[in-house]
């Protein structure tokens, strides 16, 4: 699968920066499989099934075909001419907003649904924050004729009411999660609780590069298509060169991981993940264990997990995928934050300058680039690729309300 | 450690439970969430006096993913009262109940405190064992070594989904007793005993000499007696904690535990 551009020699999986984490699912000191014994056999079975499928040409052909004919891949890379001129840096957008269901989430769920069918599972469960992963899972379940239950925090159901209705239209049952902070973290807890009791018939379609092994690796591999496409597309636009910087927003971090996977090995592009200031696990977190993984977590001095708070439901998570913690530890990627105020500004600016309404999640990446353009971090004349992970239709009502109130809460 | 009825040290939990089994008794291990109300230590004493052979004390975690609504609620109440792991252990250190105490908690609290440090705190508090349900065999070693050194028995779990060769490996590494998970699911009361409870008990009994206690989904005296036709004992959590949440208090808790004791004794 290696392209003629991938370097002087092909590296083996274990030599790659973003390669195979092995049977223990370790990315350096992060990752692992910290789940109750009841779920260990299911995680092992899933890992074995994915390993077989991922090297099976028939599986890859079917996945590629579905992503193309159903998912709308490849998505284009758009050069932002007006924004580039204003910022003095050349801004390229990887347009995951144009994928079916409006975000990169479809890449992961089509792959996992295909895998679930191979494993003989007839029911999909998922957690969702902003609702994008829930919508994508409901979509895949409809496509494959599977039962689908989506767990969503009560707070998120309120701020993303339209996505709740979308999931129901697609035939999924949305279950309101009333425990804890009633957001994404608690939806993951409920989905895991469901899975413990239903593992014989059910596949847990986890939405990000988090959770127990093999999920962080499997979801990154299923999202790698974003980075692989981007790298080739950037080379066409940039006369065979890679962008100086590659930027993506990160909650759990799946669009960032998929994007980085295309650049981590074989390029010198600077990789930047942008977290929500109110949920910045890489900035405010320390290593801990939650939801089956060891990673950076926002927690108190006893180890109780704290609630993340952000304008975007999709980034409201107190942790981040373990591979991101590793990429930061080895210095291959850096992690920055954007606050609610600049995110709402970036949301409007991209809409007005380019005619592209970004998801609030994606607007974090845009906001950081806007702030950094022209500084020594992102000097005038440099090139930057931003993964626009999703479109902002779901956020329009929320942003309207914020602008009417004339305020955003700066963090 | 003068004045402690149970000296901390390797094997206290296993020795106590084996002795009870040897004398023909079934083992009763009630669970109480530490810090869930002002009276929880009195409850622990009352339960110990009502026929328990060991007691499991939950150290509450913000994200108890293997627990159902009852233990979640108790954990939430405990955390709302400002309960901390160090506080629970300090409280337990003042307790004199004459039976082993096993703490149950989630791994992040252990990891955050540091393996050796919290194992030491447990030992100082007279705790004999620890159950950490989100720490499976493959991830166990750093904690288990610290626990062994401190004389804390790490009790491992076997689930209905655990394959035979894995059961053997888990039993080999488990200390104190082996916790058989009675059903595929989270903690919580069930109107009937799952068939898997007896099956798990049989499979674990065949794999180890350690005492085998079944928990998760054992809710009534009848269910406890039924599963103990095969198992050495039972862990009863949600059924007891629900009564406490409903205001049963130490007296009501002791009454319920007595009814479990009577059923296990063949009454």
């Amino acid at each position: 699968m290696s392209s003629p551009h991938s370097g002087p020699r092909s590296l083996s999986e274990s030599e790659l920066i973003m390669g195979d984490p092995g049977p223990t699912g370790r990315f350096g000191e992060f990752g692992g499989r910290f789940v109750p014994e009841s779920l260990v056999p299911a995680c092992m079975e899933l890992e074995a099934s994915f390993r077989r499928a991922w090297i099976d040409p028939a599986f890859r052909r079917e996945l590629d075909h579905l992503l193309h004919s159903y998912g709308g891949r490849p998505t284009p890379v758009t050069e932002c001419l007006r924004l580039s001129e204003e910022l003095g840096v050349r801004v390229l957008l990887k347009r995951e907003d144009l994928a079916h269901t409006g975000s990169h989430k479809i890449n992961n769920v089509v792959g996992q649904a295909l895998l679930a069918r191979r494993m003989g599972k007839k029911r999909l469960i998922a957690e969702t924050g902003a609702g994008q992963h829930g919508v994508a899972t409901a979509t895949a379940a409809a496509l494959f004729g599977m039962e689908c239950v989506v767990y969503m925090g009560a707070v998120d159901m309120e701020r993303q009411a339209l996505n709740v209705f979308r999931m129901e239209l697609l035939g999924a049952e949305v279950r309101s999660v009333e425990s804890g902070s009633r957001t994404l973290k608690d939806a993951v807890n409920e989905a895991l609780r469901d899975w413990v009791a239903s593992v014989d018939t059910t596949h847990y379609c986890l939405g990000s590069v988090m959770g127990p092994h093999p999920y962080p690796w499997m979801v990154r591999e299923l999202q790698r298509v974003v980075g692989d496409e981007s790298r080739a597309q950037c080379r066409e636009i940039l006369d065979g060169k890679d962008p100086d910087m590659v930027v993506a927003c990160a909650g759990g971090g799946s669009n960032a991981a998929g994007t980085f996977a295309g650049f981590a090995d074989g390029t010198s592009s600077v990789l930047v993940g942008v977290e929500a200031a109110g949920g910045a696990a890489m900035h405010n977190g320390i290593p801990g264990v939650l939801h089956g993984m060891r990673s950076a977590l926002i927690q108190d001095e006893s180890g109780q997990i704290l609630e993340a708070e952000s304008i975007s439901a999709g980034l409201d998570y107190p942790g981040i995928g373990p591979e991101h913690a590793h990429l930061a530890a080895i210095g291959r990627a850096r992690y920055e934050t954007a606050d609610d105020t600049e995110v709402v500004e970036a949301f409007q600016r991209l809409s007005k300058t380019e005619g592209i309404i970004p998801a609030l999640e994606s607007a974090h990446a845009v906001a950081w680039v806007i702030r950094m353009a022209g500084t020594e971090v992102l000097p005038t004349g440099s090139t930057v690729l931003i993964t626009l992970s999703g479109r902002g239709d779901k956020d329009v009502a929320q942003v309207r309300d914020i602008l009417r109130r004339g305020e955003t809460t700066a963090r | 450690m003068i004045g402690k009825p149970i000296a901390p040290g390797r094997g206290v939990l296993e020795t106590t439970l084996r002795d009870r089994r040897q004398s023909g008794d079934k083992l009763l291990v009630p669970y109480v969430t530490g810090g869930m109300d002002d009276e929880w230590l009195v409850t622990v004493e009352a339960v110990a006096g009502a026929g328990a052979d060991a007691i499991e004390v939950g150290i509450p975690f913000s994200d108890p993913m293997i627990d159902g609504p009852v233990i979640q609620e108790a954990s939430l109440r405990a955390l709302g009262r400002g309960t901390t792991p160090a506080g629970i252990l300090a409280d337990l250190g003042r307790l004199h109940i004459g039976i082993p105490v096993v703490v149950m908690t989630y791994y992040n609290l252990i990891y955050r405190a540091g393996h050796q440090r919290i194992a030491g705190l447990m030992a100082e508090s007279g705790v004999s064992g620890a159950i950490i349900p989100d720490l499976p065999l493959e991830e166990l070693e750093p904690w288990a070594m610290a626990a062994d050194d401190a004389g804390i028995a790490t009790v491992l779990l076997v689930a209905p989904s655990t394959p035979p060769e894995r059961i053997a490996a888990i039993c080999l590494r488990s200390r104190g007793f082996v916790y058989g998970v009675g059903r595929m699911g989270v903690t919580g009361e069930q109107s009937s005993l799952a068939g898997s409870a007896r099956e798990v008990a049989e499979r674990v009994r065949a794999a180890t000499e350690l005492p085998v206690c079944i928990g998760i989904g054992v809710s009534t005296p009848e269910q406890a007696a039924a599963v103990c036709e095969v198992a050495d004992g039972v862990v009863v959590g949600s059924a007891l904690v629900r009564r406490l949440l409903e205001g049963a208090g130490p007296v009501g808790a002791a009454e319920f535990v007595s009814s479990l004791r009577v059923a296990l004794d063949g009454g």
Side-chain angles (χ1 to χ4, degrees):
Chain A
M1 296 293 289
S2 66
S3 79
H5 303 293
S6 64
R9 68 187 177 100
S10 288
L11 294 168
S12 76
E13 273 287 311
S14 60
E15 292 173 294
L16 294 171
I17 291 171
M18 293 183 78
D20 184 335
T24 60
R26 282 294 195 282
F27 306 93
E29 63 172 300
F30 301 104
R33 183 182 282 150
F34 297 86
V35 291
E37 175 60 25
S38 301
L39 288 179
V40 171
C43 288
M44 288 178 164
E45 183 200 356
L46 180 61
E47 182 193 350
S49 299
F50 178 68
R51 285 188 183 282
R52 282 193 299 272
W54 205 231
I55 54 169
D56 176 356
F59 180 87
R60 298 295 287 261
R61 265 198 308 277
E62 187 169 12
L63 177 59
D64 288 349
H65 172 72
L66 279 171
L67 289 179
H68 172 67
S69 66
Y70 184 76
R73 303 212 73 84
T75 58
V77 166
T78 299
E79 180 156 12
C80 295
L81 295 174
R82 292 186 60 208
L83 186 65
S84 296
E85 194 175 325
E86 288 179 14
L87 297 180
V89 296
R90 201 166 170 192
V91 179
L92 307 178
L93 295 183
K94 177 60 173 170
R95 300 292 306 281
E96 292 303 295
D97 58 315
L98 295 178
H100 183 43
T101 71
S103 83
H104 70 293
K105 294 292 187 187
I106 195 75
N107 307 325
N108 173 39
V109 298
V110 168
Q112 286 200 45
L114 265 180
L115 193 62
R117 194 180 66 184
R118 259 170 93 104
M119 295 171 69
K121 309 284 184 187
K122 308 214 174 316
R123 179 173 176 265
L124 296 180
I125 56 172
E127 82 296 340
T128 198
Q132 292 303 93
H133 174 58
V135 166
T137 306
T139 299
L143 178 66
F144 290 104
M146 290 172 165
E147 189 190 336
C148 181
V149 172
V150 179
Y151 290 92
M152 189 169 187
V155 170
D156 293 339
M157 285 182 73
E158 199 172 311
R159 53 183 171 177
Q160 296 291 346
L162 212 53
N163 266 344
V164 174
F165 182 63
R166 276 197 190 99
M167 287 183 264
E168 288 167 353
L169 262 185
L170 292 160
E173 180 194 342
V174 183
R175 291 190 188 161
S176 174
V177 177
E178 303 285 348
S179 57
S181 59
R182 302 185 297 157
T183 60
L184 183 53
K185 142 182 113 75
D186 311 284
V188 176
N189 286 334
E190 275 315 304
L192 285 167
R193 287 175 185 131
D194 181 314
W195 201 33
V196 175
S198 65
V199 70
D200 279 350
T201 60
T202 299
H203 173 68
Y204 179 14
C205 188
L206 223 162
S208 194
V209 287
M210 44 166 281
H213 182 54
Y215 285 102
W217 169 58
M218 177 174 74
V219 176
R220 178 251 279 168
E221 286 299 290
L222 291 170
Q223 292 292 2
R224 163 185 287 281
V225 64
V226 177
D228 287 344
E229 282 178 11
S230 296
R231 185 162 169 196
Q233 290 164 317
C234 283
R235 287 185 167 205
E236 265 182 37
I237 296 168
L238 303 174
D239 300 325
K241 293 205 180 78
D242 298 311
D244 298 315
M245 189 172 272
V246 173
V247 184
C249 68
S254 70
N255 90 83
T259 305
F260 293 175
F263 294 89
D265 292 282
T267 84
S268 54
S269 301
V270 175
L271 308 179
V272 182
V274 183
E275 298 183 286
M282 293 302 300
H283 264 248
N284 304 325
I286 56 169
V289 174
L290 179 72
H291 296 152
M293 62 180 175
R294 178 182 289 134
S295 191
L297 300 173
I298 304 175
Q299 53 186 312
D300 73 9
E301 67 279 4
S302 295
Q304 309 293 356
I305 307 303
L306 299 175
E307 297 172 13
E309 252 184 81
S310 149
I311 193 173
S312 72
L315 302 184
D316 248 4
Y317 185 69
I320 189 166
E323 190 166 28
H324 288 296
H326 174 59
L327 289 172
I330 62 171
R332 183 63 189 92
R334 53 189 281 183
Y335 294 83
E336 305 289 343
T337 62
D339 69 34
D340 289 354
T341 305
E342 61 185 334
V343 165
V344 171
E345 284 165 11
F347 182 91
Q348 298 172 82
R349 187 157 175 190
L350 194 69
S351 302
K352 284 184 181 132
T353 57
E354 301 297 331
I356 296 170
I357 302 176
L360 277 173
E361 290 76 16
S362 322
H364 285 71
V366 178
W368 186 82
V369 166
I370 289 173
R371 175 162 25 106
M372 288 301 157
T375 69
E376 58 189 24
V377 174
L378 186 58
T380 300
S382 52
T383 54
V384 57
L385 172 77
I386 303 173
T387 296
L388 204 76
S389 56
R391 62 175 168 246
D393 305 39
K394 69 184 174 59
D395 300 313
V396 166
Q398 190 190 352
V399 172
R400 179 196 59 194
D401 292 346
I402 289 167
L403 294 176
R404 277 184 183 165
R405 285 200 306 271
E407 55 169 88
T408 52
T409 317
R411 292 177 196 282
Chain B
M1 293 294 116
I2 294 161
K4 288 236 178 274
I6 300 291
R10 195 186 302 267
V12 169
L13 181 61
E14 183 180 337
T15 308
T16 306
L17 297 183
R18 274 181 186 270
D19 286 352
R20 291 285 290 159
R21 181 173 67 176
Q22 189 67 32
S23 24
D25 292 318
K26 292 297 180 180
L27 309 172
L28 177 55
V29 185
Y31 166 97
V32 173
T33 300
M36 66 178 286
D37 57 30
D38 294 337
E39 297 180 303
W40 78 272
L41 280 167
V42 183
T43 300
V44 167
E45 285 171 345
V47 163
D53 299 299
I55 188 152
E56 188 182 331
V57 171
I59 300 178
F61 179 50
S62 54
D63 294 80
M65 64 88 25
I66 195 67
D67 284 308
V70 167
I71 310 283
Q72 285 179 46
E73 172 64 22
S75 301
L76 205 64
R77 285 195 196 179
L79 292 173
R81 294 177 65 251
T83 299
T84 63
I88 299 259
L89 292 177
D91 285 347
L92 288 175
R94 291 192 292 273
L95 204 62
H96 302 282
I97 55 174
I99 57 172
V101 173
V102 181
V103 293
M104 180 279 183
T105 195
Y106 289 82
Y107 182 52
N108 197 51
L109 301 187
I110 303 282
Y111 184 71
R112 182 79 181 89
H115 297 136
Q116 286 182 339
R117 183 168 156 260
I118 198 154
L121 283 178
M122 287 178 189
E124 279 173 29
S125 303
V127 167
S128 305
I131 301 170
I132 310 166
D134 59 346
L135 195 61
L137 195 58
E138 290 75 11
E139 308 287 0
L140 186 69
E141 227 25 58
W143 157 254
M145 281 160 58
D148 283 352
D149 287 348
I152 301 295
T154 303
V155 178
L156 299 186
L157 294 89
V158 170
S161 55
T162 308
E165 64 279 15
R166 203 174 152 78
I167 293 179
I170 290 171
C171 289
L172 208 60
R173 192 61 188 82
S174 194
R175 304 278 185 266
F177 65 96
V178 179
Y179 190 128
V181 175
R183 58 186 287 272
M184 289 298 284
V186 296
T187 58
E189 291 176 84
Q190 299 295 315
S191 53
S192 64
L193 188 68
S196 54
R198 292 175 66 109
E199 287 165 27
V200 165
E202 279 166 9
R203 284 194 275 146
V204 181
R205 279 298 299 273
T208 183
E209 290 290 307
L210 283 172
V212 179
C213 295
I214 302 295
I216 302 191
V218 182
S219 320
T220 66
E222 295 72 29
Q223 291 173 14
V227 80
C228 279
E229 288 168 14
V230 190
D232 297 317
V234 287
V235 180
V236 179
S238 294
L240 175 58
V241 172
R242 174 180 57 80
R243 285 169 168 81
L244 291 167
L245 289 173
E246 290 169 358
V251 174
E255 276 172 21
F256 177 60
V257 171
S258 292
S259 72
L260 292 166
R261 181 77 264 165
V262 168
L264 292 184
D265 291 346

